[in-house]
Amino acid sequence: QQPVQSPQAVILREGEDAVINCSSSKALYSVHWYRQKHGEAPVFLMILLKGGEQKGHEKISASFNEKKQQSSLYLTASQLSYSGTYFCGTGSSNTPLVFGKGTRLSVIA
Amino acid sequence: GAGVSQSPSNKVTEKGKDVELRCDPISGHTALYWYRQRLGQGLEFLIYFQGNSAPDKSGLPSDRFSAERTGESVSTLTIQRTQQEDSAVYLCASSWQGGNSNEQFFGPGTRLTVL
């Protein structure tokens, strides 16, 4: 089943924070996060493999709540370069990833 | 290291024609994926190759779609008797190995337009 992402779209001013959620109706083995800028290929952000695992890269971090079957991506002190569509992908160890419909993030000055 | 490459970058074809899309994965990557992305939409899984295992074709939308992979290198996605609904960007990705524990590296995509 396709994971559900929320919100569908969000507009931020530079420096503001945002949270993007990804929920699945199935037990999760892994959650992938990717960002796609307009007209470009998706670019990897991070993978979370364990329940409760948190990862971070600069001012972007994510958590994985295995029990709740959801993951959240946190963007703090957003920059213009954060604009794009964020996709989460979920899957088990032996099934292909299923990606959500994406969350469109626009950061304005 | 070059990244994942795809060709052609753009393809315009007439309804009913066959098309072939090519993907060159990163050298050494055993897993290869094909996705379809319609305008403004998410990534729709099509097919997955992992080493010498039988491919996972569960995402192919119809029997007009097929894909092959030569060993652990080039893959070709073929769409027969194209329809206007096939218009989309077709993305290929590869990863060091399958199992969803490794990041996927995406190619730039092939934009297919069926007139």
Side-chain angles (χ1 to χ4, degrees):
Chain A
Q1 272 89 346
Q2 184 176 42
V4 176
Q5 289 187 233
S6 62
Q8 290 182 318
V10 59
I11 299 175
L12 299 175
R13 292 196 177 275
E14 273 187 294
E16 291 183 337
D17 302 340
V19 180
I20 300 172
N21 297 305
C22 174
S23 299
S24 174
S25 59
K26 297 180 70 173
L28 298 177
Y29 165 81
S30 68
V31 179
H32 293 220
W33 286 97
Y34 291 81
R35 176 172 62 206
Q36 184 177 32
K37 293 184 178 290
H38 183 68
E40 299 180 9
V43 173
F44 170 79
L45 293 176
M46 61 190 78
I47 294 176
L48 300 105
L49 293 175
K50 301 176 185 176
E53 183 177 26
Q54 295 190 23
K55 282 194 173 179
H57 176 67
E58 296 181 344
K59 294 179 180 177
I60 299 176
S61 62
S63 64
F64 181 10
N65 189 322
E66 192 176 348
K67 188 173 182 180
K68 291 185 178 179
Q69 297 173 183
Q70 71 179 34
S71 176
S72 296
L73 188 71
Y74 306 92
L75 300 102
T76 58
S78 58
Q79 307 168 17
L80 294 175
S81 61
Y82 287 3
S83 294
T85 301
Y86 289 77
F87 293 100
C88 70
T90 62
S92 68
S93 60
N94 57 5
T95 59
L97 284 181
V98 179
F99 285 91
K101 293 185 177 181
T103 295
R104 183 171 298 175
L105 177 71
S106 301
V107 181
I108 58 176
Chain B
V4 177
S5 61
Q6 292 186 244
S7 60
S9 55
N10 282 285
K11 176 72 177 179
V12 180
T13 190
E14 294 179 345
K15 179 181 172 181
K17 300 282 189 183
D18 298 350
V19 296
E20 281 190 356
L21 312 179
R22 177 187 169 106
C23 172
D24 281 277
I26 293 173
S27 178
H29 281 194
T30 62
L32 186 147
Y33 310 80
W34 282 98
Y35 297 93
R36 177 170 69 180
Q37 187 173 35
R38 291 194 167 109
L39 187 63
Q41 301 299 309
L43 302 166
E44 179 186 359
F45 165 76
L46 296 177
I47 188 169
Y48 159 51
F49 296 89
Q50 170 56 49
N52 294 319
S53 301
D56 182 335
K57 304 179 181 180
S58 59
L60 294 178
S62 77
D63 59 7
R64 296 187 294 106
F65 288 72
S66 63
E68 294 183 346
R69 187 181 185 191
T70 307
E72 292 185 352
S73 60
V74 172
S75 176
T76 302
L77 177 69
T78 301
I79 308 173
Q80 295 178 311
R81 306 181 301 281
T82 52
Q83 304 293 313
Q84 289 182 332
E85 69 210 39
D86 299 335
S87 295
V89 174
Y90 289 82
L91 290 161
C92 172
S94 70
S95 65
W96 180 59
Q97 61 183 41
N100 293 330
S101 59
N102 298 279
E103 67 178 280
Q104 295 185 21
F105 294 82
F106 284 82
T110 293
R111 183 176 299 276
L112 175 66
T113 303
V114 182
L115 302 177

